[in-house]
Amino acid sequence: MRTRLTEAFGIKHPVLCAPMALITGGRLAAAVSDAGGLGVVGGGYAGTLGGEPDLQQELVHVQGRKFGVGFITWALERAPHLLDQVLAHSPDCVFLSFGDARQFAPQIRRGGAKLICQVQSLSHVDQAIEAGADVIVAQGTEAGGHGARRSTMPFVPEVADYLARKSPATLLLAAGGIADGRGLAAALMLGADGVVVGTRFWASAEALTPTLVTDRAQHFTGDDTVRTTAIDALRGVPWPDEFSFRFINNKLASEWAHREAEAKAEFGSLAVAYADARSRQDFDVVAVVAGECIGLIHDRPNAATILDAMVKQAQALLDRGSRLDFTDGAA
Amino acid sequence: MRTRLTEAFGIKHPVLCAPMALITGGRLAAAVSDAGGLGVVGGGYAGTLGGEPDLQQELVHVQGRKFGVGFITWALERAPHLLDQVLAHSPDCVFLSFGDARQFAPQIRRGGAKLICQVQSLSHVDQAIEAGADVIVAQGTEAGGHGARRSTMPFVPEVADYLARKSPATLLLAAGGIADGRGLAAALMLGADGVVVGTRFWASAEALTPTLVTDRAQHFTGDDTVRTTAIDALRGVPWPDEFSFRFINNKLASEWAHREAEAKAEFGSLAVAYADARSRQDFDVVAVVAGECIGLIHDRPNAATILDAMVKQAQALLDRGSRLDFTDGAA
């Protein structure tokens, strides 16, 4: 399966592993790259959150492979020295999301890495183009973790049309709600050059996700996730207003998810309680991060198995689609 | 393009026109059916809202054609006599959304019509199966008008998997975010037997949509819509809590969209002001209903042109997809 993405990065499959904070360590990124995709290590909050894995240590695992590193842009602003440390490892790309990438773009280019900018609304695209993004990721609201309000299905073609007019050489990836070959094939039909996969790799053998968590999550459906700004406010993580957090609904979220304004007024009031709950692994309080496609995930295989199955299923669907005959029932 | 849907209904294209309240009159439904899809007249609130078009008159336009009629289920409960009146016209299907279809299913079956149940969460599917639905529509949150919180991209395959286990003979359609051939092709890849298209037909020549409204809407992007329960509460339309309303953001919504609990406590407080604003065509107050794919829509052609372009684009994409080579850039 060849796309502009596979050509640009010299990879076999048009699939990136999302740089999930605290989840996509070097082992997962390496496994995805070894299997023919591109693994992007989660640089997350750039060490400013506390409790994050040591990025330098994680990068040891991807040595000698193609790989990328991703950051939460507004957090990287607080620890900008980290970018040079990362560029010293010669990543193939730096993946920035949630903020203005323009300030970091020249440094990334000088470091020889491609710039990937993830956007959550059409209004973000101009800034990404100005930054000189090689790749723009259109992330839908169904994604796990942080994101915003647009949905993948209409958002991807709208960004594709916009890029066709304004910056046709910029590649486009789809993120949010993609967990198998159906999602990959659908994203290609929508106009994407490839996909970014989070939750499916979150439940892979090589992810840093605690087993306790993925064991619990296998019984959930996509109905069980919630997106809200309230929990970040209560735990005192200073996310910009436009970005919200999707995770598996729990006791704390049932109480607060729809009271975003109130939670904002009580910024940080549960910071200590939340940290304490984390140490006790109290999932009535602590958010288990997952996207809506958690309902498509019922196991924790290794990343190569996931990627192989995804690509084979997409190929079979695309092959069948060309016959324009779906009368034996859908996939 | 043949699918289980085209076979079951004896139609040429796997595309239904959504039964949009106050929008999908008989002329639009007839035009979609004449063009090879299936037009579903919007029975909406079953005459209980006020200001709705006369359903009997609308049904004159679909005489001699394949057609369906759709209702808001909880509203039909308040005017159940309407169902017999509709069945007397021998519709090919009755399309029920937002409520428990089981109470109406035997009557619909006796009337010789197929039952289509639209669902907004996985938790609704069992009820639809129990009702004996011939077709289930998985409606994503990106849809215009009323809906809920699941997104089309991960929701459709999850419902497909569920039906494969529980009721494999039930057909599945995708709704929400589908405005062109990219959306149609993507939906087929996700496991749907066809699609339900609302907003794209809302901006068709034959729709009941006022020209004033579609003229305004052509400048909006998908970023400009909002989903909230607040406006229904303020205008005093008794929607069940789980269903919210997507429309183009305006002055009233900017003020209220994120204050759903407050709006609920003031149920009906703006009913008079809202009706007055409607008579003045004051769009700072009155919601212009549209889905996120409004950003893909820039004209108001007739329904046949829309359907023809949609199917041709999907066929071209599927044909190209089978070559597994997208290196000349995406769609």
Side-chain angles (χ1 to χ4, degrees), chain A:
Chain A
M1 194 180 297
R2 297 170 63 220
T3 74
R4 296 193 303 175
L5 180 76
T6 61
E7 302 300 292
F9 283 84
I11 54 179
K12 197 174 166 200
H13 305 310
V15 179
L16 265 62
C17 175
M20 295 172 277
L22 298 100
I23 300 294
T24 311
R27 283 199 180 86
L28 173 54
V32 170
S33 290
D34 285 347
L38 184 69
V40 187
V41 176
Y45 293 85
T48 66
L49 183 68
E52 295 183 78
D54 183 278
L55 189 54
Q56 296 299 324
Q57 256 182 323
E58 294 303 324
L59 291 178
V60 171
H61 299 293
V62 291
Q63 265 181 6
R65 294 172 176 87
K66 286 185 195 294
F67 75 98
V69 180
F71 288 106
I72 294 165
T73 314
W74 64 257
L76 185 61
E77 286 175 22
R78 300 171 170 214
H81 61 281
L82 213 59
L83 186 54
D84 265 332
Q85 288 180 25
V86 160
L87 289 168
H89 291 259
S90 301
D92 294 86
C93 63
V94 173
F95 183 122
L96 296 179
S97 192
F98 313 116
D100 185 354
R102 290 175 300 184
Q103 59 197 307
F104 299 114
Q107 190 182 349
I108 291 167
R109 250 190 305 278
R110 279 196 307 274
K114 288 190 164 64
L115 172 62
I116 301 184
C117 291
Q118 184 165 268
V119 301
Q120 286 77 26
S121 73
L122 194 68
S123 67
H124 296 157
V125 175
D126 277 338
Q127 225 175 53
I129 293 172
E130 274 177 42
D134 299 284
V135 180
I136 286 178
V137 181
Q139 184 199 28
T141 189
E142 48 267 73
H146 288 90
R149 305 284 170 183
R150 298 296 311 269
S151 287
T152 303
M153 194 86 167
F155 187 35
V156 170
E158 191 173 355
V159 176
D161 287 345
Y162 194 84
L163 291 178
R165 286 199 310 279
K166 302 282 181 105
S167 187
T170 308
L171 274 55
L172 172 63
L173 306 186
I178 299 160
D180 60 22
R182 293 175 290 191
L184 170 55
L188 294 171
M189 294 294 100
L190 292 175
D193 298 295
V195 298
V196 177
V197 173
T199 303
R200 178 62 277 197
F201 285 126
W202 168 91
S204 67
E206 297 89 343
L208 297 175
T209 324
T211 310
L212 179 67
V213 166
T214 45
D215 282 352
R216 285 172 55 88
Q218 287 173 24
H219 307 291
F220 293 114
T221 77
D223 290 1
D224 294 320
T225 77
V226 61
R227 176 172 286 290
T228 181
T229 60
I231 302 306
D232 283 321
L234 294 170
R235 66 180 181 159
V237 183
W239 275 87
D241 277 347
E242 65 175 315
F243 301 118
S244 48
F245 188 38
R246 184 180 294 282
F247 54 94
I248 292 172
N249 204 2
N250 62 9
K251 206 169 160 191
L252 184 67
S254 298
E255 203 179 314
W256 282 97
H258 303 292
R259 295 159 63 194
E260 295 182 327
E262 267 179 271
K264 191 178 173 183
E266 297 191 23
F267 185 85
S269 61
L270 294 186
V272 173
Y274 197 92
D276 177 58
R278 189 185 289 283
S279 70
R280 286 184 289 109
Q281 300 192 303
D282 177 356
F283 296 112
D284 286 343
V285 173
V286 174
V288 168
V289 184
E292 255 191 67
C293 61
I294 190 71
L296 298 172
I297 293 169
H298 311 288
D299 54 6
R300 190 173 174 167
N302 62 43
T305 304
I306 290 170
L307 187 54
D308 187 58
M310 183 178 292
V311 170
K312 284 207 171 83
Q313 187 185 25
Q315 288 175 334
L317 284 167
L318 290 167
D319 185 54
R320 174 192 176 185
S322 71
R323 298 196 300 274
L324 302 177
D325 188 337
F326 298 83
T327 51
D328 54 339

Side-chain angles (χ1 to χ4, degrees), chain B residues 5 16 23 28 49 74 103-104 106 110 114 129 180 192 196 198 214-215 220 228 244 269-270 285 298 305 315:
Chain B
L5 180 75
L16 265 61
I23 300 295
L28 174 54
L49 183 68
W74 64 258
Q103 57 196 311
F104 298 115
R110 280 196 307 274
K114 288 191 163 65
I129 293 172
D180 60 20
V196 177
T214 45
D215 282 353
F220 293 115
T228 180
S244 49
S269 62
L270 294 187
V285 173
H298 311 289
T305 303
Q315 287 175 334

Side-chain angles (χ1 to χ4, degrees), chain B residues 111-132:
Chain B
K114 288 191 163 65
L115 173 60
I116 302 184
C117 291
Q118 184 164 268
V119 302
Q120 287 76 26
S121 72
L122 194 69
S123 67
H124 295 159
V125 176
D126 278 338
Q127 230 176 45
I129 293 172
E130 274 177 41

